Amino acid sequence: LSSLLGSTRPVDPMALRVAVLGLLLGAHGLQPKELEQWLSSPQGLGMSVTEAEKEAEARWHSLAQCGVTVKSLQALKDAMADQRHMGLDVLLNRAWFFRFAEHHINAAKVTQFYDLLSSGYTLYGGLAYEKPRAQEITMELLDNSADPNALRALYRAMYGYDGLGFSQESARAESIQLAKAGANASAYKEQYKKAIIEAP
């Protein structure tokens, strides 16, 4: 900051703003240059230097205010891009990525949701979606702060050996909507059975 204020050259308002915000948010938080370097690194999003500079300029303030760190960005990116699981193009889906980072989405949750949505029912109790749809629904569920364990329980309450007899398609759609709403599987199953008994 002192170098900016002591210079006789015209001061770039954005550079001054970034420098001042850096001081206000503290030396131990995410720094603009740190974010920029991560964005352009192969371990990060692999952007060009120019793209990384622009992205860091646009994203840094919000990320820093939310307490995001390079370590948390790396963990989330690794989970979303892992080819053994979700295998998402994070650069292409960076709006989702930064949104999840700001909301401190647990990286393990990404894998749990994707694996549940993409695996088969017989061996894993999963919803058996194809990869593109499983990726899409994973992001929707994360965005709604849903719980993968709740989704699994809801799906099993509706479909399969001990379920309520729903078709797979109905069970998938209903369990996903209820998981987004934070529903409890046991309570749902009990109320469903009660409604059947009381139905005329």
Side-chain angles (χ1 to χ4, degrees):
L1 181 57
S2 58
S3 63
L4 287 172
L5 295 177
S7 174
T8 57
R9 294 176 298 175
V11 176
D12 180 351
M14 180 56 70
L16 181 59
R17 175 174 174 270
V18 166
V20 171
L21 286 171
L23 290 175
L24 291 175
L25 292 171
H28 300 295
L30 181 67
Q31 297 301 302
K33 197 65 179 176
E34 182 185 23
L35 175 60
E36 183 183 324
Q37 289 171 345
W38 183 82
L39 290 170
S40 63
S41 72
Q43 294 76 28
L45 297 192
M47 292 178 162
S48 70
V49 173
T50 302
E51 289 174 328
E53 185 178 357
K54 290 180 180 178
E55 195 76 28
E57 193 175 276
R59 303 278 185 185
W60 169 73
H61 184 206
S62 180
L63 291 168
Q65 281 193 320
C66 292
V68 176
T69 65
V70 165
K71 184 177 180 180
S72 64
L73 288 173
Q74 189 67 60
L76 183 60
K77 183 260 179 178
D78 288 346
M80 293 177 72
D82 190 343
Q83 292 299 323
R84 298 168 299 175
H85 300 281
M86 193 172 185
L88 194 72
D89 184 334
V90 179
L91 182 59
L92 187 63
N93 291 277
R94 62 186 178 275
W96 283 107
F97 171 74
F98 288 118
R99 181 179 176 88
F100 296 156
E102 289 177 4
H103 286 83
H104 296 279
I105 296 296
N106 189 315
K109 211 175 181 182
V110 175
T111 303
Q112 288 169 357
F113 265 132
Y114 177 79
D115 286 356
L116 175 60
L117 289 162
S118 62
S119 61
Y121 179 84
T122 305
L123 293 178
Y124 303 104
L127 280 69
Y129 278 106
E130 294 296 325
K131 186 165 191 168
R133 186 62 179 139
Q135 290 174 328
E136 183 182 344
I137 299 171
T138 293
M139 292 191 287
E140 291 174 5
L141 288 162
L142 291 169
D143 197 43
N144 281 270
S145 301
D147 181 351
N149 293 322
L151 174 61
R152 183 186 297 276
L154 284 161
Y155 184 61
R156 287 183 173 181
M158 299 174 193
Y159 180 73
Y161 312 116
D162 194 37
L164 293 166
F166 285 38
S167 68
Q168 184 182 51
E169 194 58 40
S170 296
R172 293 197 298 192
E174 189 74 8
S175 62
I176 288 166
Q177 289 307 311
L178 289 172
K180 288 178 182 179
N184 177 275
S186 297
Y188 174 84
K189 194 170 185 178
E190 183 178 332
Q191 289 299 316
Y192 187 89
K193 287 179 176 179
K194 184 179 178 181
I196 291 176
I197 293 170
E198 295 177 351

